């Protein structure tokens, strides 16, 4: 995968270099803002992938991210930085971490060291500490196995400036080529820091009293897994409606996601500060989102107990085509910030997700949609390009219920429910520009079947993305699309029976 990323970067560099000063088209395209979402985070320009270092401090949500400031394809990684007071509107800040002699700055996390265990704090204020992977290019070129190590840096000014620890790395590589993406949490019960990182086909846990010296604790994985694991996260959650606490382990998988390519998965189990256990691990892996475009989803650290929510977001793309999507000035957006909740279903546990309530402040002009039964299309939205749709349907006895979003050229994306399969879907086969990758087009199905007799869906439309939340958030699907003219119309169509719309609303979202 990294070879692929690097080759793509070299090709683009060569092209940019040979086109330099010669191609007005290239210049025009550089200022091209088409596809820019209205309410999803994007870098102003250039390449972005995973969210990193997500931490809340002094009233600000920090979003660091994998960033290459010199190109719109992946390249030498930095940590870009933005802050927000509400996870809806973001202020761009200067790059936080630059590559150095130990390597590029790959994914990782950040915490507030409230007890100043690291000693990095000054004037009685706790330091913000970032824990990330150093990826050493010389080591990779020399085909060594130990070129990924874990390092730390600290900030005493709300994440604005950073000092790298002089004794980096803090975790050396034990001889595993893919050894990265540390996520650190404070483990209350054992009063120590716990770090989880991805190591090829599993995760590894470490612990530390001070964020500097780390002791290996355990591995968690499944037998004979051929997939590469990335970007783990671990956190405790109360099961909704009970006092039971379980631990959720998130792992992003670089292949084999429900609809192909990369996706975010999770396990629910127990964690004692050293070992994560869950019954029948192989059968317990679930997908956080079954659309194609939610990768490296991780959660914010240090959300105050008085808030109590578990909040996170993911990179809204897929490594299958992320580097060739047709946006020009910038590449990739993040998903909406989401709130997770944990629910028991029979003897199983599932995560539900929904956009954070803060997005309600964007809601303008709600139009109520009346109940209607029809075999003909029902137009529910016109002349609106960013919207939230809340709709309820009676499940038909056959065929599918479809909400079709379209532009005036006939490009469209269908969000629906297939009665025979009992699955939700997003079909972007005719969504607009799709020819940049053979993996992009297609109809994507939810990973689980759902048998409810009433279909309640919430759909968020932005200039190049659709996010579906159904079954009270048990089903989340995120797909991006690229239509040069934004979708501005939504209609309900049926592929069989009369569709019975029970009612709903369409709300414009505007900043
Ligand atoms: C996931 C990932 C991480 C790595 C980063 C490099 O998308 O491959 O494992 O740290 O991207 O940019």
């Amino acid at each position: 995968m990294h070879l692929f990323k690097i080759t793509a970067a070299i090709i683009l560099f060569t092209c940019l270099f040979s086109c330099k000063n010669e191609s007005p088209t290239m210049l025009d395209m550089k200022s091209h803002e088409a596809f820019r979402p209205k309410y999803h985070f994007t870098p102003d320009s250039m390449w972005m992938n995973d969210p990193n270092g997500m931490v809340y401090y002094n009233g600000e949500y920090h979003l660091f991210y994998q960033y290459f400031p010199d190109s719109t394809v992946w390249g030498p990684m930095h940590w870009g930085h933005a802050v927000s007071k509400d996870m809806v509107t973001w202020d761009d800040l200067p790059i936080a971490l630059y590559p150095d002699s130990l390597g590029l700055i790959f994914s990782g996390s950040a915490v507030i060291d409230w007890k100043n265990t690291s000693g990095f704090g000054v004037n009685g204020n706790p330091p913000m500490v970032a824990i990330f992977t150093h990826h050493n290019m010389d080591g990779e070129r020399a085909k060594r196995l130990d070129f990924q190590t874990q390092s730390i840096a600290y900030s005493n000014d709300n994440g604005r400036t950073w000092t790298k620890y002089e004794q980096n790395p803090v975790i050396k590589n034990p001889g595993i080529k893919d050894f990265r993406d540390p996520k650190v949490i404070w483990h209350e019960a054992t009063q120590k820091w716990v770090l989880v990182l991805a190591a090829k086909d599993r995760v590894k846990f470490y612990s530390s009293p001070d964020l500097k010296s780390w002791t290996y604790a355990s591995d968690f994985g499944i037998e004979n897994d051929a997939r590469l694991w990335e970007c783990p996260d671990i956190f405790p959650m109360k099961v909704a409606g009970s006092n039971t606490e379980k631990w959720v382990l998130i792992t992003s998988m670089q292949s084999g996601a429900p609809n192909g390519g990369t996706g975010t998965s999770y396990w629910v189990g127990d964690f004692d500060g050293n070992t994560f256990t869950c019954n029948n691990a192989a059968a317990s892996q679930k997908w956080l989102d079954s659309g194609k475009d939610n990768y490296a989803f991780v959660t914010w650290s240090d959300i105050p107990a008085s808030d109590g929510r578990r909040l996170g977001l993911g990179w809204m793309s897929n490594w299958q085509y992320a580097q060739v999507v047709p946006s020009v000035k910038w590449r990739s957006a993040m998903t909406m910030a989401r709130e997770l909740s944990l629910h028991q279903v029979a003897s199983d546990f599932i995560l539900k997700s929904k956009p954070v309530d803060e997005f309600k402040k964007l809601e303008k002009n709600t139009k109520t949609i009346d109940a209607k039964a029809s075999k003909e299309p029902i137009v529910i939205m016109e002349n609106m390009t960013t919207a939230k749709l809340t709709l309820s349907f009676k499940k038909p006895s056959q065929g599918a219920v479809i909400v079709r979003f379209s532009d005036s050229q006939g490009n469209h994306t269908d969000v629906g429910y297939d009665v025979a399969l009992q699955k939700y879907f997003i079909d972007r086969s005719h969504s607009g520009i799709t020819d940049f990758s053979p993996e992009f087009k297609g109809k994507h199905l939810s990973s689980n079947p759902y048998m409810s007799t009433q279909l309640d869906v919430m759909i968020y439309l932005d200039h190049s993305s659709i996010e579906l939340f159904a079954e009270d958030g048990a089903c989340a699907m995120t797909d991006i699309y690229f239509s040069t003219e934004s979708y501005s119309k939504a209609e309900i169509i049926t592929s069989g029976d009369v569709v019975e719309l029970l009612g709903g609303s369409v709300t414009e979202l505007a900043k």
Side-chain angles (χ1 to χ4, degrees):
M1 175 51 91
H2 286 115
L3 253 188
F4 170 68
K5 292 177 192 169
I6 289 159
T7 316
I10 290 168
I11 292 170
L12 190 103
F13 270 159
T14 318
C15 168
L16 277 180
F17 187 69
S18 57
C19 300
K20 214 172 148 200
N21 301 329
E22 281 165 20
S23 165
T25 345
M26 181 66 94
L27 287 178
D28 293 344
M29 287 170 75
K30 281 222 149 195
S31 63
H32 194 42
E33 286 290 309
F35 314 121
R36 175 87 75 185
K38 244 258 158 54
Y39 58 89
H40 288 79
F41 179 78
T42 50
D44 175 63
S45 61
M46 302 302 169
W47 171 263
M48 173 181 80
N49 55 291
D50 316 351
N52 294 151
M54 287 162 60
V55 64
Y56 178 85
Y57 187 51
N58 273 344
E60 290 179 326
Y61 295 89
H62 289 262
L63 172 61
F64 299 89
Y65 50 89
Q66 287 288 276
Y67 187 53
F68 183 34
D70 298 329
S71 169
T72 50
V73 293
W74 189 91
M77 283 289 114
H78 301 52
W79 272 26
H81 190 194
V83 287
S84 172
K85 293 202 176 336
D86 57 8
M87 297 171 282
V88 175
T89 304
W90 293 92
D91 293 328
D92 290 321
L93 291 177
I95 289 173
L97 296 173
Y98 284 81
D100 57 45
S101 61
L102 292 179
L104 314 179
I105 315 295
F106 272 23
S107 287
S109 52
V111 290
I112 304 304
D113 182 9
W114 293 104
K115 295 175 198 266
N116 196 21
T117 61
S118 61
F120 295 143
V122 288
N123 304 330
N125 294 318
M128 185 182 285
V129 180
I131 308 95
F132 56 89
T133 299
H134 260 129
H135 176 100
N136 190 284
M137 289 302 292
D138 292 340
E140 184 179 21
R141 271 188 226 104
K143 298 213 172 353
R144 291 160 57 141
L145 291 178
D146 61 356
F147 57 87
Q148 293 188 335
T149 54
Q150 319 314 319
S151 291
I152 59 177
Y154 60 93
S155 167
N156 295 117
D157 57 0
N158 296 309
R160 279 14 183 218
T161 59
W162 290 85
T163 307
K164 289 181 184 132
Y165 179 46
E166 68 277 7
Q167 288 177 50
N168 279 336
V170 292
I171 300 183
K172 296 210 171 74
N173 188 304
I176 303 169
K177 188 167 141 294
D178 295 290
F179 184 72
R180 57 176 178 268
D181 308 342
K183 169 81 182 193
V184 170
I185 60 163
W186 174 253
H187 190 256
E188 199 55 45
T190 54
Q191 292 287 300
K192 61 183 186 183
W193 298 102
V194 164
L195 180 151
V196 59
L197 57 74
K200 197 177 166 210
D201 55 357
R202 65 196 62 201
V203 294
K204 285 182 181 291
F205 291 96
Y206 296 78
S207 68
S208 169
D210 58 5
L211 295 164
K212 295 169 178 166
S213 78
W214 292 94
T215 307
Y216 167 76
S218 68
D219 280 18
F220 173 79
I222 53 181
E223 293 285 315
N224 303 319
D225 195 355
R227 302 167 302 176
L228 189 65
W229 296 30
E230 296 184 312
C231 300
D233 192 0
I234 185 159
F235 45 87
M237 282 193 102
K238 280 265 156 63
V239 179
S242 89
N243 253 334
T244 311
E245 183 180 86
K246 301 296 284 181
W247 284 76
V248 177
L249 172 67
I250 288 187
T251 60
S252 276
M253 311 303 290
Q254 239 208 29
S255 58
N259 289 289
T262 52
T264 307
S265 74
Y266 67 94
W267 279 265
V268 181
D270 297 301
F271 183 64
D272 61 5
N274 289 307
T275 313
F276 179 79
T277 43
C278 85
N279 291 337
N280 193 1
S284 306
Q285 187 175 23
K286 299 187 175 65
W287 297 93
L288 190 71
D289 187 312
S290 43
K292 275 205 80 154
D293 300 303
N294 184 348
Y295 195 57
F297 186 103
V298 283
T299 66
W300 265 286
S301 181
D302 293 282
I303 298 295
S306 55
D307 178 317
R309 293 177 295 173
R310 181 51 61 176
L311 307 168
L313 51 68
W315 175 46
M316 199 158 56
S317 200
N318 190 311
W319 276 117
Q320 283 181 333
Y321 43 73
Q323 306 197 79
V324 291
V325 298
S327 62
V328 177
K329 186 182 169 195
W330 50 277
R331 268 213 181 92
S332 302
M334 296 301 183
T335 67
M336 294 170 85
R338 297 179 185 185
E339 178 183 350
L340 303 180
S341 55
L342 185 64
H343 301 260
Q344 179 155 15
V345 181
S347 59
D348 211 1
F349 296 96
I350 60 158
L351 280 181
K352 292 185 177 181
S353 22
K354 63 169 192 173
V356 296
D357 285 343
E358 282 83 340
F359 280 102
K360 292 205 164 89
K361 67 173 68 162
L362 301 184
E363 297 184 2
K364 309 265 150 56
N365 310 323
T366 294
K367 180 179 129 196
T368 305
I369 308 290
D370 295 331
K372 186 170 182 177
S374 172
K375 260 201 159 178
E376 302 304 317
I378 310 169
V379 176
I380 53 169
M381 184 187 94
E382 279 177 300
N383 304 320
M384 213 181 268
T385 53
T386 50
K388 167 190 173 182
L389 293 82
T390 308
L391 301 166
S392 297
F393 301 93
K394 182 164 174 248
K395 186 163 85 179
S397 55
Q398 56 165 325
V401 175
I402 296 166
V403 184
R404 172 165 293 177
F405 295 92
S406 56
D407 63 17
S408 68
Q409 312 296 310
N411 298 311
H412 60 267
T413 292
D414 290 347
V415 180
Y417 177 84
D418 184 306
V419 177
L421 299 172
Q422 296 181 318
K423 287 185 172 183
Y424 290 88
F425 63 83
I426 300 182
D427 187 348
R428 64 179 178 194
S429 305
H430 307 285
S431 55
I433 307 168
T434 58
D435 59 0
F436 51 86
S437 159
E439 318 284 0
F440 188 78
K441 252 187 179 178
K443 179 172 177 174
H444 308 136
L445 297 174
S446 63
S447 32
N448 298 318
Y450 296 97
M451 275 76 105
S452 318
T453 51
Q454 181 173 317
L455 310 172
D456 297 311
V457 300
M458 196 160 74
I459 305 169
Y460 282 82
L461 172 73
D462 201 345
H463 289 312
S464 51
S465 64
I466 290 181
E467 284 156 284
L468 163 70
F469 301 90
E471 305 290 325
D472 193 34
C475 173
M477 298 187 76
T478 305
D479 266 21
I480 53 175
Y481 71 93
F482 298 92
S483 151
T484 36
E485 188 192 304
S486 296
Y487 294 161
S488 56
K489 180 178 177 186
E491 62 195 314
I492 293 159
I493 54 178
T494 151
S495 67
D497 278 358
V498 166
V499 71
E500 278 191 66
L501 172 62
L502 302 174
S505 61
V506 174
T507 305
E508 186 176 8
L509 300 177
K511 278 200 172 163

